[in-house]
Amino acid sequence: MSTRPATSSRFHVSLPTRTVFAVPDGAGVGIECRSGTVWVTLDRDPRDIVLEAGDRFDGTEHRRILVSALTSSCITVSDAQPAAMPLARPARAWSPWRLRPHGLSPA
């Protein structure tokens, strides 16, 4: 039985000063600063993450990642680890009795 090596995708992005690169879903995505300085922000996350050449950030949550170039920079974007999609909330069965909290009742 043979096992295939895990494939990973990666690409480089050159960012002029004050440009922004967006990753819609950052779960499992790695951002490595190859040159320059970038500021990484995540939706609903109060942290400020600044990467300089050689630094890396690995996204672990399903949030948008914005990478802002503080200076002319080059980054590598890669899949850091496999990420599972968030589970959908189970559909709640409709019930006419759910109208009561809103001051309504079924006819």
Side-chain angles (χ1 to χ4, degrees):
M1 178 177 178
S2 65
T3 58
R4 288 185 172 177
T7 59
S8 77
S9 60
R10 61 188 295 161
F11 57 92
H12 306 291
V13 179
S14 294
L15 300 171
T17 303
R18 293 190 304 261
T19 58
V20 177
F21 177 78
V23 178
D25 183 356
V29 174
I31 305 290
E32 181 180 350
C33 183
R34 298 173 54 83
S35 64
T37 305
V38 295
W39 176 27
V40 178
T41 57
L42 297 116
D43 284 351
R44 299 174 309 279
D45 191 324
R47 295 179 292 168
D48 286 330
I49 303 161
V50 176
L51 304 179
E52 295 181 337
D55 293 339
R56 180 180 174 87
F57 170 79
D58 293 319
T60 58
E61 298 180 27
H62 293 279
R63 297 180 181 197
R64 181 178 61 163
I65 297 175
L66 297 177
V67 182
S68 305
L70 299 176
T71 63
S72 182
S73 304
C74 182
I75 60 171
T76 298
V77 180
S78 62
D79 52 349
Q81 61 187 359
M85 291 303 293
L87 297 176
R89 290 185 177 169
R92 293 170 35 175
W94 184 85
S95 167
W97 307 113
R98 292 183 187 264
L99 299 174
R100 288 200 180 192
H102 301 287
L104 304 169
S105 63

